[in-house]
Amino acid sequence: MKKDIISGYQNAPHRALFNALGFTKEEMQKPLIGIVSSYNEIVPGHINIDKIVDAVKIGIAMAGGTPAAFPAIAVCDGIAMGHSGMKYSLVTRDLIADSIEAMTLAHGFDALVMVPNCDKNVPGMLMAAARLNIPTIFVSGGPMLSGKVNNCRVSFSEMSEAVGAFSVGNINEKQLEDFSENSCPTCGSCAGMFTANSMNCLTEAIGMALQGNGTIPAVYSKRIRLAKKTGFQIMKLLKENIRPRDIMTTSAFENALTIDMALGCSTNSILHLPAIANECEINLNLDIVNEISAKTPNICHLAPAGHHFMENLDEAGGVYAVMHEINKLNLLHKNVMTCTGKTLGENIKNSINKNTNVIRSANKPYSSTGGISILTGNLAPDSCVVKKSAVCEKMLVHEGPAKCFDSEEEAQNAINTGKILPGDVVIIRYEGPKGGPGMREMLNPTSSIVGRGLGDSVALITDGRFSGATRGAAIGHVSPEAAVGGPIALIKDGDIISINILENKINIKVDPTELERRKLNWKPKPPKITKGYLARYASMVTSGNTGAILKNPYK
């Protein structure tokens, strides 16, 4: 707390340094509120965050606090995609949490406002909030507006798929450049229900952000007003001593998973929610995902699952309208506390679904079950995950021969050169948290498959993960991963892979004695990285089914 480092004669040296910062005595007497700013000039979702931070500062100052901003890093998954840079995406989640812990405790902040936007930036900050457990609230940078190509609304997922279409001659170079110039027209997190927007919506659903956090577009003035209100609200949370672990309870995580299913969020949410829960000392067992999915209708089909975008969801009433619709089925814990100082039930009581084309009514859903499924079987004994809402109906049940690759690059080359045929099951392994290391996203291979017209006939299975922009029969987070000898490491070309998403099953159709023989002959591969942060990360990280958290040596 600030008073512990400023008050009294013994802290005169600290006061001298605050004087050096330009703080007045009046400012030093007020609560010190840290603003964690992920502003940078290389990530489209973060280029506007300086404006959000300025607005938060105004809100804090007007409500009687003293704001002080400090930075957090953020990787753009789109720019990092398809090369070794993607190894550094997921791993930043822990760097972000650790650096916020260090800055907050070193400087005695009384409360925090987190200003994230992109994929690992949001969960990293939520992990830090849970770990520190001082009054904290979130306001994101906001989503990008959708683009327009050939008079159709598009986002980054269509841009990625256009590369596959170009490679087989379905579009020409000029048309490809049209996608490049017009698919991402503004700053903000990419315009569909990809990972960044999934996590910003779930931050709102779990109760750590005010209404509109997940959906108000980055370029709207309404987001600046939201940032000022957030600055005001952190002072109320501080006064009432409402802390993250008062909000992020087991019931709140169940609410987040329920809204995840209703929205059809990115599969990465199933990696991040357990990691955030772990910091709250809550064990979020993935078994609960299918239980919640079985009773939660999927009522939104945003890109890449459908043709609606984040601005459409915002206009329809946003996350609160989705929660209000789902609450008609009594699927939410309404009495949980939120950052508004009110319960979730009180927050959504007067919400309205303004567009039933964007947010379907609970009794007329896209499907009666949720957007994500956890699969198990002899290929993934601990689990794997698929975004069911983005899989075409004919691929919900599929059998086909395996084509195995020990890296993303090998698989991408095979796709590009026409070696993947209708019916195939592409296996990409040794790309898990430990084997990658860093559990790379596979947007390029999945987009190439779809762009080449194979989205309704080819499945892809990996111990890596997927971008929220991925669609199709893309199954990730296979656990145990190949690097620790999981069954995915034992598959051979031509083995028949059986996928039944409707029954949550995934199996290798090989005699168990043959699999056991392969297991006895399996040898670990040498680590790909042997120095620096990635080597340390690989030595400490756990499986995808645990959220790829880092092992605590004291537990």
Side-chain angles (χ1 to χ4, degrees):
M1 301 289 284
K2 177 179 65 65
K3 65 181 180 182
D4 297 328
I5 66 170
I6 287 185
S7 301
Y9 74 91
Q10 72 277 15
N11 286 325
H14 298 115
R15 292 196 293 276
L17 293 170
F18 273 86
N19 283 325
L21 289 167
F23 279 60
T24 65
K25 288 183 179 178
E26 291 79 7
E27 286 176 303
M28 282 189 257
Q29 290 167 0
K30 296 175 181 179
L32 182 62
I33 312 300
I35 305 173
V36 186
S37 168
S38 59
Y39 168 77
N40 63 53
E41 296 181 346
I42 192 61
V43 183
H46 296 247
I47 192 69
N48 66 314
I49 278 177
D50 55 339
K51 309 295 189 298
I52 305 296
V53 169
D54 287 345
V56 170
K57 286 180 181 178
I58 291 170
I60 291 169
M62 290 180 69
T66 297
F70 63 89
I73 63 170
V75 164
C76 176
D77 279 27
I79 294 175
M81 195 73 65
H83 59 92
S84 60
M86 180 48 75
K87 294 179 186 290
Y88 287 92
S89 174
L90 178 62
V91 303
T92 64
R93 191 180 68 179
D94 295 278
L95 283 174
I96 291 162
D98 291 349
S99 63
I100 293 170
E101 174 191 350
M103 286 294 289
T104 300
L105 296 181
H107 299 103
F109 289 104
D110 294 298
L112 295 172
V113 178
M114 305 285 195
V115 190
N117 212 26
C118 287
D119 293 25
K120 314 309 165 299
N121 191 242
V122 183
M125 289 192 187
L126 283 164
M127 289 164 67
R131 187 185 303 174
L132 291 163
N133 203 33
I134 62 173
T136 303
I137 193 170
F138 280 65
V139 57
S140 77
M144 185 184 290
L145 293 177
S146 60
K148 183 178 280 190
V149 175
N150 296 328
N151 211 34
C152 294
R153 307 308 305 188
V154 298
S155 66
F156 188 69
S157 58
E158 287 85 3
M159 170 70 257
S160 299
E161 291 168 12
V163 175
F166 173 76
S167 70
V168 293
N170 288 341
I171 62 173
N172 60 36
E173 190 171 352
K174 184 178 183 302
Q175 290 170 310
L176 180 65
E177 195 59 24
D178 193 15
F179 274 98
S180 183
E181 291 184 359
N182 296 300
S183 60
C184 298
T186 73
C187 64
S189 47
C190 296
M193 189 53 76
F194 312 145
T195 305
N197 293 327
S198 294
M199 292 309 302
N200 283 324
C201 286
L202 295 183
T203 301
E204 195 175 329
I206 209 169
M208 288 294 292
L210 299 179
Q211 182 177 7
N213 176 72
T215 59
I216 297 171
V219 294
Y220 284 11
S221 299
K222 187 164 62 167
R223 183 154 291 274
I224 299 297
R225 298 199 298 272
L226 176 66
K228 291 176 182 176
K229 290 176 183 176
T230 301
F232 269 88
Q233 190 61 25
I234 190 59
M235 299 306 296
K236 293 181 181 178
L237 293 176
L238 179 61
K239 181 179 180 180
E240 297 175 21
N241 196 29
I242 297 174
R243 301 175 180 233
R245 293 198 201 178
D246 299 325
I247 294 169
M248 291 193 287
T249 61
T250 299
S251 293
F253 279 102
E254 290 177 1
N255 284 343
L257 281 170
T258 299
I259 298 307
D260 188 328
M261 299 302 159
L263 284 169
C265 290
S266 164
T267 52
N268 281 315
S269 64
I270 305 303
L271 202 63
H272 298 321
L273 288 174
I276 299 160
N278 178 68
E279 294 288 353
C280 295
E281 300 183 1
I282 294 170
N283 179 23
L284 194 64
N285 192 313
L286 289 189
D287 291 344
I288 199 174
V289 174
N290 284 340
E291 292 175 25
I292 290 175
S293 180
K295 58 187 178 184
T296 307
N298 176 227
I299 60 174
C300 294
H301 265 193
L302 283 86
H307 300 290
H308 297 136
F309 300 92
M310 295 307 294
E311 69 253 40
N312 304 126
L313 181 58
D314 187 62
E315 290 162 4
V319 176
Y320 273 35
V322 174
M323 290 195 286
H324 182 76
E325 200 66 55
I326 289 297
N327 189 48
K328 293 176 182 177
L329 302 177
N330 294 315
L331 295 178
L332 295 175
H333 302 284
K334 297 191 288 283
N335 292 326
V336 295
M337 178 53 65
T338 72
C339 68
T340 65
K342 300 176 182 178
T343 66
L344 181 140
E346 291 174 310
N347 287 345
I348 67 173
K349 182 172 59 176
N350 297 317
S351 296
I352 299 171
N353 181 357
K354 301 175 185 177
N355 188 337
T356 55
N357 289 321
V358 176
I359 305 171
R360 288 196 175 182
S361 61
N363 59 5
K364 291 184 179 179
Y366 285 100
S367 67
S368 59
T369 57
I372 290 178
S373 289
I374 303 296
L375 314 183
T376 55
N378 69 355
L379 195 157
D382 290 341
S383 73
C384 56
V385 63
V386 63
K387 187 171 182 176
K388 181 172 62 176
S389 61
V391 179
C392 69
E393 188 173 355
K394 66 180 290 188
M395 290 298 290
L396 292 172
V397 178
H398 179 74
E399 283 193 4
K403 288 190 176 173
C404 301
F405 306 94
D406 289 352
S407 71
E408 178 188 358
E409 287 82 359
E410 292 176 24
Q412 187 66 55
N413 181 63
I415 297 165
N416 290 347
T417 54
K419 294 176 183 175
I420 303 304
L421 305 175
D424 284 346
V425 178
V426 177
I427 306 291
I428 306 179
R429 57 197 178 190
Y430 295 98
E431 290 286 9
K434 190 177 291 291
M439 205 178 186
R440 287 196 285 179
E441 287 186 348
M442 303 293 164
L443 178 60
N444 282 1
T446 55
S447 295
S448 295
I449 287 169
V450 172
R452 294 173 73 90
L454 298 171
D456 62 353
S457 62
V458 169
L460 190 151
I461 300 171
T462 181
D463 53 8
R465 60 193 179 88
F466 297 111
S467 164
T470 289
R471 64 186 175 106
I475 299 166
H477 308 191
V478 170
S479 302
E481 62 175 290
V484 298
I488 191 172
L490 311 179
I491 302 171
K492 293 185 176 182
D493 285 347
D495 287 347
I496 299 301
I497 307 299
S498 173
I499 301 164
N500 192 325
I501 296 171
L502 298 176
E503 296 182 2
N504 303 316
K505 295 295 182 185
I506 185 165
N507 287 292
I508 315 164
K509 297 188 80 173
V510 172
D511 188 271
T513 56
E514 168 62 14
L515 283 179
E516 187 59 31
R517 186 189 66 78
R518 294 181 191 178
K519 175 69 175 175
L520 291 172
N521 292 328
W522 175 82
K523 289 186 174 67
K525 287 182 176 289
K528 296 175 183 175
I529 305 287
T530 57
K531 61 182 181 180
Y533 178 57
L534 284 178
R536 295 197 302 275
Y537 180 88
S539 71
M540 299 171 65
V541 71
T542 63
S543 176
N545 71 301
T546 64
I549 60 173
L550 301 186
K551 287 179 284 191
N552 184 337
Y554 300 106
K555 287 187 178 180

